Amino acid sequence: MGSAGLARLHGLFAAYKPPGLKWKHLRDTVELQLLKGLNAGKPPASEQRVRFLLGPMEGSEEKELTLTATSVPTLTDHPLVCGPAFTSLKVGVGHRLDAQASGVLADHPLAFLDHVTREKLERILALIQGSHQKALVMYSNLDLQTQEAYEMAVRGLIRPMNKSPMLITGIRCLHFAPPEFLLEVQCMHETQKQLRRLVHEIGLELKTTAVCSQVRRTRDGFFTLDDALLRTQWDLHSIQDAIQAAAPRVATELERSLRPGLGTQQLPGPDQPQDSKGPSSALLLESCAGH
């Protein structure tokens, strides 16, 4: 394996973070499994050196000794002498999830009020999305007086140019079964704490209380749940295969981002389906509402 295997690790891949697992533990586990896989490969052939070994002279009846030139392996680079070939490996992590995200369910019994309806909830969600789209225009530093900026705004192809607070590009209710409801949120620059607070604020707007019981990221950029490696797949060969499979899409996204006017997030309307492409995250929020 050696350097060839290391070269195949240059790229991006996705891993599924189980509930209750800290992202640092996931990263450390992946690093350990990669090092094990790299060091488990067959080591390269040792270099040969010439040594003069003392031995009996052939055809001599008096058993005379002589020095014979012999090729022997050099053991200075053998793993049993110098240790493992790979001792450290850096794995970077993109958008992080806290330990409670992705499947931690906090039971919280609440009585549901009759005045909370799906229509009222969706009206609040539309107002939230509209306000965040206005903020997105502001943080994009676009002059909407220009024709190019106007066309980008009409098509929804704008995104913040610099650091910004959490911006929601799409939010909708997928499931409404009082006292629980499920939201799909497309957003940028988010944290799980902000998302949970969003659910709390939605409850206040509905004249009730709401608590976020589960956060699950379903997409990060173009990576989806289908791309994410499970815990049993956090090994060298699976990660190498995932990097190779993602390489064409990574190249395409880089090319799009370098084109003028492209590489930006499309903003779906309240009644439009969510676009699966773009730089933002898509998360599912399971919530409970009550009095």
Side-chain angles (χ1 to χ4, degrees):
M1 189 66 65
S3 59
L6 190 61
R8 292 185 59 197
L9 289 176
H10 180 69
L12 301 175
F13 70 98
Y16 182 81
K17 190 185 82 64
L21 182 70
K22 295 183 178 180
W23 68 266
K24 290 184 179 180
H25 182 73
L26 186 153
R27 180 199 60 190
D28 294 343
T29 302
V30 169
E31 290 180 0
L32 179 62
Q33 293 300 321
L34 289 177
L35 288 174
K36 285 183 177 180
L38 288 170
N39 289 317
K42 184 178 180 180
S46 300
E47 296 182 359
Q48 300 291 317
R49 59 181 299 184
V50 177
R51 295 192 61 183
F52 291 91
L53 302 179
L54 187 64
M57 182 181 297
E58 294 183 3
S60 175
E61 298 180 355
E62 298 180 359
K63 297 182 180 180
E64 295 181 3
L65 299 179
T66 184
L67 293 175
T68 304
T70 307
S71 178
V72 296
T74 301
L75 300 180
T76 55
D77 57 350
H78 195 279
L80 295 179
V81 177
C82 63
F86 299 93
T87 58
S88 63
L89 186 68
K90 186 64 176 178
V91 176
V93 178
H95 298 156
R96 300 167 182 174
L97 291 171
D98 58 28
Q100 288 76 33
S102 298
V104 175
L105 181 63
D107 292 331
H108 195 84
L110 294 170
F112 195 78
L113 299 182
D114 293 336
H115 77 271
V116 179
T117 64
R118 180 160 190 161
E119 290 73 19
K120 291 182 179 179
L121 173 61
E122 291 180 342
R123 190 180 308 122
I124 296 299
L125 299 183
L127 292 174
I128 292 175
Q129 180 170 326
S131 64
H132 277 256
Q133 289 185 358
K134 291 180 181 179
L136 179 58
V137 173
M138 180 184 67
Y139 282 102
S140 66
N141 296 330
L142 287 177
D143 183 6
L144 295 183
Q145 301 301 320
T146 64
Q147 182 65 25
E148 181 182 3
Y150 174 78
E151 292 177 356
M152 292 177 63
V154 170
R155 296 169 58 192
L157 299 177
I158 56 176
R159 69 175 182 181
M161 300 300 296
N162 300 307
K163 186 176 181 180
S164 71
M166 181 181 72
L167 295 174
I168 295 175
T169 60
I171 181 170
R172 61 176 177 171
C173 179
L174 297 182
H175 182 66
F176 186 82
E180 299 179 346
F181 58 92
L182 178 65
L183 303 179
E184 181 185 64
V185 181
Q186 287 190 342
C187 50
M188 305 176 182
H189 305 166
E190 80 285 352
T191 66
Q192 286 75 62
K193 183 178 180 180
Q194 291 172 323
L195 290 169
R196 293 188 177 94
R197 181 170 180 82
L198 172 66
V199 173
H200 171 68
E201 293 174 350
I202 290 174
L204 295 179
E205 292 293 333
L206 291 170
K207 303 298 189 293
T208 182
T209 59
V211 59
C212 180
S213 58
Q214 182 176 348
V215 179
R216 186 187 189 197
R217 178 179 288 147
T218 59
R219 179 170 60 82
D220 191 351
F222 61 82
F223 286 115
T224 66
L225 288 176
D226 293 335
D227 303 310
L229 300 180
L230 302 178
R231 186 194 291 264
T232 56
Q233 298 172 305
W234 298 350
D235 57 78
L236 175 64
H237 296 291
S238 297
I239 292 175
Q240 287 176 330
D241 292 341
I243 291 175
Q244 295 299 315
R249 288 185 294 169
V250 173
T252 300
E253 290 299 318
L254 288 176
E255 182 181 359
R256 289 180 57 193
S257 65
L258 294 177
R259 292 179 184 175
L262 293 181
T264 51
Q265 173 68 28
Q266 183 175 0
L267 307 183
D271 300 326
Q272 293 178 326
Q274 303 292 331
D275 188 0
S276 61
K277 299 180 180 179
S280 65
S281 298
L283 303 103
L284 298 181
L285 307 182
E286 291 188 5
S287 310
C288 296
H291 59 78

